[in-house]
Amino acid sequence: MARIKINEVERENSSDKVEKILLGAMQEFLAHGYAGASMDKVAAAAGVSKATVYSHFQDKQGLFKVLVEQLAKKRFESIFGTEPLEGEPNIVLRGLLTKALNQMLKDKEYQAFQRMLIGESARFPELSQVFLRSIAKPGSEIIASYLASRSELNIPDPEAMVWILMGSLLHLVIAHEIMHGKEIMPMESDRLVDALMHLVVKCAD
Amino acid sequence: MARIKINEVERENSSDKVEKILLGAMQEFLAHGYAGASMDKVAAAAGVSKATVYSHFQDKQGLFKVLVEQLAKKRFESIFGTEPLEGEPNIVLRGLLTKALNQMLKDKEYQAFQRMLIGESARFPELSQVFLRSIAKPGSEIIASYLASRSELNIPDPEAMVWILMGSLLHLVIAHEIMHGKEIMPMESDRLVDALMHLVVKCAD
DNA sequence: GTCTATAGAGGGATAGAC
DNA sequence: GTCTATCCCTCTATAGAC
């Protein structure tokens, strides 16, 4: 009985450390990229020794991959946590675009994640593919099937329309937040969403 | 006379080395990012000694900044080398979108540049701003003033429309080439351009 | 101006005590 | 499982010969 308790506690502590390491790794890798991050600083940020890091993860690459997959999973769940899309496009779609854009514009962790994924996409192509498969694609499909379901919108190619919608939002996030260009190329979120809604809704012949 | 000749030759050789170093730096930094690039390999790729690199550039950061500014300048000139936009939107605009998209999709150096700029945009915000100021903004303005000049298009907000157009193209380049997602999220260039042209041209009330 | 050689710091990864 | 101490390598940057 006492023995079992000890085992449970030990297992808990061990899992605790794994989470602390992943948290420290997140800080380091998101801030400095793969090559710029150091395992010493990961260990320090996690509050453990470097040897402990290596006892839970094979090497720097292994830790990095687990971290990215974990972050992608987290984002994935936050997408599928939304209720299914139904109702008036002029309200539902506008709400969706506004909410998605404002969330991306505010969420510094998301921006750092996106920046790191793109920055490392030459060295770690599988990881950017994980992101596309688990986040970009499912998100696109949800919106595409909504657009297709609203036949009154009369959209000739809903899938292409989704590329346009997502690309427009992405462009604003990259130019303004990731590349720090708010002052260089100003554009109001609402103005962009208005223009998109005009294209989607008002152009139904 | 002979002296002058010698000086000229020496000056030429020196400039030659600077260019060779910048070329080597381009290979290294585009392939591995700032932190992942090593000055030894830059020197080796340039065919000079490391000390020579440091005699022409202050340090790693200095070399990196000069390189990025040079690359941005090169791209800038290739944009302003295009003749001014005039004529039928259905031909001129479609041609522009198709050409711009296909060029970006083919040009591996451009993709690596974009990847690096985004990847380093947290550590070097001024450099991504150089890119926005010297490439993204001028390009946008050219297209915006063309759209505004064609009053028959009846575009309520030409600047917002440019965000949408450029964002859509950018999205395809990032998802397909930079993040290696051609197979995961397929989309034909022509299909995307068709959808964009439909929105721009056919929606003129 | 350019080289070789090297200083000096910090990186990833592990051995061995507990 | 976790730690401290350490190995060995590569990195940036420079000193000094030519």
Side-chain angles (χ1 to χ4, degrees):
Chain A
M1 185 75 175
R3 214 191 134 91
I4 289 170
K5 224 173 185 174
I6 287 170
N7 283 343
E8 279 173 357
V9 168
E10 276 172 359
R11 236 182 286 128
E12 265 185 52
N13 283 348
S14 186
S15 296
D16 254 25
K17 299 235 162 168
V18 168
E19 277 171 38
K20 277 162 84 180
I21 292 168
L22 283 168
L23 221 70
M26 189 179 85
Q27 280 182 239
E28 268 291 304
F29 284 119
L30 287 186
H32 304 110
Y34 177 77
S38 99
M39 295 296 269
D40 285 83
K41 286 183 188 154
V42 168
V48 301
S49 77
K50 204 165 38 160
T52 301
V53 175
Y54 279 95
S55 82
H56 289 283
F57 299 91
Q58 205 190 6
D59 53 15
K60 192 183 182 184
Q61 280 207 19
L63 173 58
F64 183 64
K65 288 179 184 173
V66 170
L67 172 71
V68 171
E69 276 154 18
Q70 192 212 236
L71 285 173
K73 199 172 173 184
K74 204 172 93 184
R75 301 272 160 208
F76 172 80
E77 282 158 5
S78 91
I79 286 186
F80 275 73
T82 60
E83 64 276 11
L85 294 175
E86 280 173 11
E88 264 297 316
N90 215 332
I91 295 169
V92 171
L93 189 59
R94 167 170 250 119
L96 177 71
L97 293 177
T98 304
K99 193 178 151 196
L101 184 54
N102 286 338
Q103 263 185 0
M104 289 192 290
L105 288 174
K106 271 197 299 196
D107 189 342
K108 297 293 170 198
E109 187 185 305
Y110 170 78
Q111 292 158 23
F113 184 45
Q114 190 82 350
R115 174 161 35 222
M116 192 190 65
L117 274 181
I118 293 177
E120 306 299 343
S121 58
R123 267 87 57 195
F124 299 94
E126 341 82 64
L127 293 185
S128 43
Q129 289 173 339
V130 165
F131 172 81
L132 294 177
R133 243 190 292 271
S134 67
I135 298 177
K137 197 184 183 200
S140 296
E141 284 169 352
I142 290 175
I143 304 175
S145 70
Y146 171 75
L147 291 182
S149 78
R150 308 298 300 193
S151 54
E152 79 270 28
L153 290 177
N154 217 350
I155 298 174
D157 189 339
E159 286 181 32
M161 179 61 93
V162 173
W163 275 92
I164 294 167
L165 293 176
M166 294 190 56
S168 304
L169 303 192
L170 186 72
H171 187 202
L172 194 70
V173 176
I174 290 181
H176 277 192
E177 298 299 329
I178 295 184
M179 301 188 83
H180 309 98
K182 269 195 283 274
E183 281 75 31
I184 297 167
M185 304 178 68
M187 172 57 61
E188 297 288 314
S189 303
D190 289 344
R191 217 176 125 188
L192 182 62
V193 171
D194 282 345
L196 287 170
M197 289 305 298
H198 177 82
L199 292 180
V200 174
V201 175
K202 298 249 170 79
C203 290
D205 307 327
Chain B
M1 183 76 173
R3 213 193 136 92
I4 289 172
K5 224 174 186 175
I6 287 171
N7 282 343
E8 278 173 358
V9 168
E10 276 172 358
R11 236 182 285 129
E12 263 183 53
N13 284 348
S14 187
S15 295
D16 253 25
K17 300 234 164 173
V18 168
E19 277 171 38
K20 278 163 84 180
I21 292 167
L22 283 169
L23 219 71
M26 190 180 84
Q27 280 183 239
E28 268 291 305
F29 284 120
L30 288 186
H32 304 111
Y34 177 77
S38 100
M39 296 295 270
D40 285 83
K41 287 185 187 151
V42 168
V48 301
S49 77
K50 205 165 38 160
T52 302
V53 175
Y54 279 96
S55 82
H56 288 283
F57 299 92
Q58 205 190 5
D59 53 15
K60 191 183 181 184
Q61 280 207 19
L63 173 58
F64 183 64
K65 288 180 183 173
V66 171
L67 171 71
V68 171
E69 275 154 18
Q70 192 214 238
L71 285 174
K73 200 172 174 183
K74 204 172 92 184
R75 301 272 158 207
F76 171 81
E77 283 158 6
S78 90
I79 286 186
F80 274 73
T82 60
E83 64 276 11
L85 294 175
E86 281 172 10
E88 264 296 317
N90 214 331
I91 294 169
V92 170
L93 189 59
R94 166 172 251 117
L96 178 72
L97 293 177
T98 304
K99 193 178 153 197
L101 185 54
N102 286 338
Q103 264 185 0
M104 289 193 290
L105 289 174
K106 270 197 298 196
D107 190 341
K108 297 294 170 197
E109 186 184 306
Y110 169 78
Q111 292 158 22
F113 185 45
Q114 191 82 350
R115 181 186 286 124
M116 192 190 64
L117 274 181
I118 293 178
E120 305 299 342
S121 59
R123 267 88 57 195
F124 299 94
E126 341 83 63
L127 294 185
S128 44
Q129 290 173 338
V130 166
F131 172 81
L132 293 177
R133 242 188 293 270
S134 67
I135 298 177
K137 196 184 184 199
S140 296
E141 284 168 352
I142 290 175
I143 304 175
S145 70
Y146 171 76
L147 291 182
S149 78
R150 307 298 300 192
S151 54
E152 78 270 29
L153 289 177
N154 216 351
I155 297 175
D157 189 340
E159 287 182 32
M161 179 62 92
V162 173
W163 275 91
I164 293 166
L165 294 176
M166 295 192 56
S168 304
L169 304 191
L170 187 72
H171 186 203
L172 195 69
V173 176
I174 290 181
H176 277 193
E177 298 299 329
I178 296 184
M179 300 188 83
H180 309 97
K182 269 196 283 274
E183 280 75 32
I184 296 168
M185 304 178 69
M187 172 57 60
E188 297 287 313
S189 303
D190 290 343
R191 218 176 124 188
L192 182 61
V193 172
D194 282 345
L196 287 169
M197 289 304 298
H198 177 83
L199 292 180
V200 174
V201 175
K202 299 247 171 78
C203 290
D205 309 327

